[in-house]
Amino acid sequence: MSALLQASRVTFQRQGEDVFEATDLTLNAGQATVILGPNGSGKTTLLRLLAGILKPASGTLERSARTAFLGHLPALKGELTCRENLDFLARFHGAGTLNSSKALARVGLAGLGLRPARALSAGQKRRLGLAGLLVSPRPIWLLDEPYASLDDAGCRLVDTLLEGHLADGGTVALSTHQHKPQLAQGFQTLQVSPARRAEVA
């Protein structure tokens, strides 16, 4: 397998203390990883670190491909229309084979291209965030709670998009509290453990 991202003994600190135990992770082409751990264990922090939004306090992190990060709250411009949001992403990251209209149809938002993003429901905003992955393809997907606010059909959509991305040679790491991916390829898991706090004598 070809590693697109390799993290070795990475940690992140807040106020001089580690957030989670030193973590190793390899993301190979065609492989999915589900990041598990209790609330507050550092799953979101780890994903942001892998995406390059945060810098590790220690350890090494290497990427051999471009990265897409989709946070728990999709990064949308509320005053822009759905189509304008996607067109901006395509210009900023580089356009793929799907234009904004086709990407909206792919995620179940056909006919909403001219609607301001702020007028969407939570589930529709999640779908619009997923459409952003399609208009500007990047091999590494890092997804924080991609099933949040979605109904059963929306969860199946996420699984379908993941399978297509993996089949194209991409890789994905995601966190989830609810729906586990239903993928023909299966997935590996990574348990994130909160850092042990030093006891005060």
Side-chain angles (χ1 to χ4, degrees):
M1 289 186 179
S2 176
L4 300 182
L5 184 150
Q6 182 88 44
S8 177
R9 306 296 294 169
V10 293
T11 64
F12 182 77
Q13 292 188 341
R14 288 198 183 96
Q15 298 179 337
E17 293 189 340
D18 288 346
V19 173
F20 48 78
E21 294 292 318
T23 300
D24 298 318
L25 175 63
T26 299
L27 298 182
N28 293 311
Q31 185 179 64
T33 300
V34 176
I35 299 175
L36 304 174
N39 288 339
S41 61
K43 299 186 298 296
T44 296
T45 299
L46 175 61
L47 284 169
R48 291 169 65 86
L49 186 154
L50 297 175
I53 298 169
L54 302 174
K55 292 185 178 181
S58 62
T60 60
L61 178 60
E62 298 179 0
R63 303 178 199 85
S64 62
R66 298 170 64 227
T67 301
F69 174 77
L70 183 61
H72 181 60
L73 297 176
L76 303 171
K77 298 291 186 182
E79 299 307 313
L80 297 182
T81 66
C82 295
R83 187 179 299 165
E84 288 170 338
N85 269 283
L86 297 181
D87 288 344
F88 170 79
L89 289 174
R91 288 194 302 270
F92 188 82
H93 294 292
T97 57
L98 286 186
N99 61 28
S100 57
S101 295
K102 290 181 179 179
L104 288 169
R106 183 72 181 82
V107 300
L109 297 179
L112 299 183
L114 299 180
R115 180 172 296 183
R118 58 176 166 73
L120 299 177
S121 69
Q124 288 172 329
K125 288 177 181 177
R126 174 62 56 184
R127 287 171 180 262
L128 181 57
L130 294 168
L133 300 173
L134 303 178
V135 297
S136 181
R138 285 151 282 171
I140 303 171
W141 285 5
L142 303 171
L143 313 179
D144 189 16
E145 300 289 343
Y147 301 100
S149 304
L150 292 176
D151 56 15
D152 289 344
C155 291
R156 288 194 296 271
L157 168 66
V158 173
D159 289 341
T160 299
L161 295 179
L162 293 179
E163 289 201 317
H165 181 61
L166 297 174
D168 287 340
T171 187
V172 60
L174 64 90
S175 66
T176 179
H177 279 106
Q178 44 192 50
H179 180 91
K180 294 291 192 300
Q182 304 295 313
L183 305 175
Q185 304 94 322
F187 56 85
Q188 66 176 0
T189 60
L190 172 67
Q191 185 73 35
V192 177
S193 301
R196 299 181 182 88
R197 304 304 181 195
E199 295 184 3
V200 178

